[in-house]
Structure formats: structure tokens, C-alpha cells
Amino acid sequence: MGFSMLGPVFKQMFKKPWTNKFPAKYQPSSTTKYLEAVGVGKAKINPPIPTPPNFRGKIKYDKDKCIGCNLCIKVCPCGAIESKPEEKKIKIYLARCCFCSQCNDVCPVKCLSMGDEFLLAGTDPYSKELIVE
Amino acid sequence: MSSEATTKTTYHIPIGPIHPALKEPVHFEFEISGERIIDVDVKLGHVHRAVEWASRKRNPVQILYLAERICGICSYCHPIAFSLAVEAAADIEVPERAEYLRVIQGELERITSHILWAGVAAHEIGFDTVLFLTWEIREKALDLTEYLTGNRVTKGITMIGGVRRDITKDMIPRIQKDLKFFKDNFQKLAHIFLDDKTFKMRSQNCGILTKEDALKLCAVGPTTRASGVKKDVRVDTSYFAYGDLDIDYITPDKLTGKINGDVYDRIITRLLEVKQSIELIEQCIDKMPAGDIVAEPKIPKLLAQLKKVNGEGVGRHEAPRGEVIHYVKLTGEDAPYTWKVRAPTYNNILPWIPMLKGEQIADIPIVAASTDPCMSCTNRVAIVNNGKHYELNKEELHRLSVEKTRRLMR
């Protein structure tokens, strides 16, 4: 038994790492500054691994198709959807969304679908990126 | 008084609620003589989140996602037990294909949970290389979960009367490839856990739970099966498609020929269950009939149907940690009248006391971890009145319990 771990350890030394170095290969000294640099195109982001098919990410909302039936509000487990009665449309607060895609299932006209986007962290829950309407 | 103080040979050591050795908040009070544990007291209730209360404002479809958040690791067994309870109350018949799909999801969760536990157990005795080895396998299991359900942890696969996502023909090669990976690595894992000297030293004859104690304290799941009690909801009640599958109680004597009820036996039970789960998924893929995956695909219609129901139901499911029971009473309103959850760890906490008595302080983490505790699942009774947190004693709890029974019967 003694040195049975040695084999895997040596193998491990020459193997490609399993993890994907995201968003940068090495930890930047300041993540905010790094992301700002990415925003203006000075630095490049190491892409995340692709999401699988049927992944439940940021909701996509086809406003023209929506008939304002409010069924999605009835089934949303976290109350993330608000009705806009004068327009007969909805407003989704992603900060509250739990990404269960139940609203997608219930929608009679299929105006909602789940996207691939998952980098949704932010400090302001009412920012433009976190509200779908 | 003073003479008693001088002759006192035991010491009280409080551990927790927040302690580096504990992953989740639980409070132990040990009575120690030297290195030996004489007596143990366990206190719970530090992570109460009022999940059941939150259900009073939600309809059954919304509660599915609330139930999912009772526990991150058991994010399938809670909603499925809830939907079993609702199906029992509303007499909904689940299509046969959905029953098989439910077995696949449940067994996949068992593989993920048991392998996670194996890694944590290795970590608790300081064998961190094995932690990374096991979690490499778990990563694959999570990837497969993501492929089948859409997300890694909160699966969102359960629906009352079936499941939400089907397994199509083109998905089967990927599942079989991953199952082969689990099988190959299972041998490696079993070799490390069952033949390694370190594991044997730390786990054999440590934290013994006798069959009598396991029966008396109503332990559930692998904890009780490791003590030789043949108790498994999958075999006992053959819900889902388990009746059609080849399944038997996993007790450690299948491998070693004898039952000790120690930590080593609990490791054996869980590892054999991983193997059993792989085989069950394979059987399901072979036998799965074609057909619908949900009894009522139109959710507004389902909600209207549930709104008419006046009745109660109990859902039992064999979660990775043991039997989980959900009780639901529907009274013709949007939200259920009551919803009660009994998570498996609740039963597996009292067995800690006979397990820990007579052991050394250093054995606490591995013995406690050997039941695979999940505190967040457990915390149900914590009373906060006028900002004062108090505990209930037995008589008062009994009185409240009787009152609640009467209230529910009304």
C-alpha cells in the first residue's frame, strides 16, 4: 500500500488542469479594475465553459408576443414578475428570479424563454441589466 | 459543594454552534473525562428559516421550488416527496414513463450525495487527497445532472404528476458514458475506502450503533442499514418504478459477512449504494416505456384541479440520507392548509449519543459526519416570542402536538 498515491500524484503533475481559469488565468490584483479594462477592450476575458443545452439562464422576453394573461405571475415561486396592467405586459426582476423556468412552461404564447447568460451578479438589484421588460 | 468541586473529574466542553470542525450550525455539549466522552447533549435550531410558514402564501406549484431550497444536496427528494403527498391527496396518477424518470433523477442524486459524503468523511479524518479524488467523480455526476435537468444543484425537474424534462434517445449515449466512468472509478474509490489502512484504523470499531439502538431511536437510511436494520422505503413500499426494478436492502454483511454498526460499516453501506444506484439507472434506461412524462401538462388546469381538492396526503421517499416524509393538507384554497416536512437527519441525530459515548474527542467529526447530517433540513421547531428565543420542554411540546393534531382533525 505504502506509496500507492505516488502514481496519481505524478500523473497529476503533467495533466492539463481540470478547471477552466475564469475570468482570467491569474487572479488580477483588482477584479473591478480588470473588468473595467475588459469593458473598454484593453484586457481579454478567458471565456467560461459553454453552457449545456436546456440551461436555465437569464430570461428572454418577447414583448410583442405577450398577451398579458398574468399566468406567469401566478406560478412564479419568488414573486419576481410584476404586471404592467396599462400596457398588458410584464416586468421581470432578475434579482429575485430563481431560474426555475416555470413561467416558460406556463406561458400560453411562449413569449418567455431561458437564455444562456449567467453572469448576473450586481450590486444594484434595480439596475438595467437585472430587469427584463 | 466544595468537596464535590475538588473531586470532579469530568469536564464540559461546548462545541458549536459555529465551530471550524462543523460544516453547519449545531451545538454539542460534551462531558469529558480525559479523552473519553462520557455524555453528549445535542442542541439544534440555529438555522430555522420558516420554510413551512412560507408555504402558506404559495400554491402547490410554487411550493415545489420552495421545497427544493430546504436543502441544497437533497434538492430533488424534498420536492418529490411533496409532490407524492399532493398526488396522494388529489388522486393524481403519474404516467409510467415519469415514474422511471423519477427513479433516474433520484438515483443520480443519491450518487452525487454519497460521493460528496465520502469526500467529506475523508476530509474529516485528514485524508484530503481522497477528498479531491471523490469530488472529481462528483463533478462528473453534477455535469450529468446539469445535462439532464438544466442546472447543477437546484434541478427544477419535479412537477406534480410527473417530471418536467424527458430523457430523449440522443441523451442516452452521454448517460451511459458517464455511468461507465462512475463504474470504473467506483472500483478505485472502493479500494481506497475499504482497503486503506488509515481508513480502517479510524473507522473500525468507532462510533458503534447497535441494532437495538438503531431500532429504538428510529434511525433511517444508510445509518440504520449499516447497523443491520432492513429499512428502505424503496423496497418497503415500492413507489415510483422501484417495484419493477431489481433492488434489495444494502447491509454491510453483503460485503464483509458481518455487521458491526461502526463507521466502517456506514462507509461500506454508502459505497455499495452508489453501485446499486448506478445499476438502477441502467435498468431504468433499459426498461423505460414510451409515453407521457406528466399527468397534466397544462399548469393552470392542474392548479384549478388542486384547488378543488379537500384532503390530505403523505409522501415518503428514500432520500440519500434516509426516509423523508412530507405531509400536506389541502382544503380547497390556493395555498395548502398545512405542510409538514420531516427530514431524515432529524432521526439520525439522536443516534449520535450512543455513537459518541465512550469515543475520543478526536473521533467527534468522523462519527458525526458518518450519519451524513444536514442541519438545514432539520431545523423545524424554534420559537421566537417577543424577541425571546426559548426552547420547548417535553410536556409542553406534547401538549402543543396534541393541540395541533386536534386542530388538523377539525
Side-chain angles (χ1 to χ4, degrees), chain A residues 1 5 15 18 52-56 71 73-78 98-102 105-106, chain B residues 58-59 61-62 65 69 129 136 139 146 149-151 154-156 159 164-165 196 299-300 303:
Chain A
M1 200 70 211
M5 270 300 182
K15 249 202 230 156
W18 183 294
N54 300 326
F55 177 77
R56 301 195 303 268
L71 276 176
I73 296 171
K74 210 177 160 190
V75 295
C76 182
C78 25
C98 73
F99 304 96
C100 63
S101 93
Q102 191 63 64
D105 289 9
V106 81
Chain B
R58 286 165 166 81
N59 61 41
V61 171
Q62 289 173 316
Y65 302 98
R69 279 151 183 84
T129 34
E136 185 189 336
E139 190 61 32
E146 191 182 28
T149 67
N151 272 19
T154 40
K155 303 173 182 84
M159 178 43 63
R164 288 175 66 198
R165 285 186 182 183
D196 188 84
I299 293 152
L303 282 175

Side-chain angles (χ1 to χ4, degrees), chain A residues 23-24 28 30-31 33-46:
Chain A
S30 162
T31 313
K33 272 184 194 156
Y34 171 72
L35 289 178
E36 271 168 16
V38 170
V40 294
K42 272 184 191 159
K44 241 178 106 183
I45 217 164
N46 203 1

Side-chain angles (χ1 to χ4, degrees), chain B residues 61 86 108 144 162 179 211 215 222-223 269 287 289 393 402 404:
Chain B
V61 171
V86 173
L108 188 59
L144 184 61
L179 286 180
K211 192 174 178 178
L215 280 169
T223 311
T269 313
K287 289 184 181 172
N393 59 26
V402 172
K404 184 164 179 173

Side-chain angles (χ1 to χ4, degrees), chain B residues 312-343:
Chain B
E312 50 193 352
V314 174
R316 294 167 72 202
H317 172 62
E318 182 75 15
R321 291 171 175 75
E323 183 188 17
V324 53
I325 302 175
H326 281 228
Y327 167 83
V328 173
K329 181 170 179 172
L330 301 166
T331 50
E333 275 166 44
D334 269 341
Y337 181 76
T338 189
W339 173 41
K340 172 84 190 104
V341 181
R342 206 233 52 207

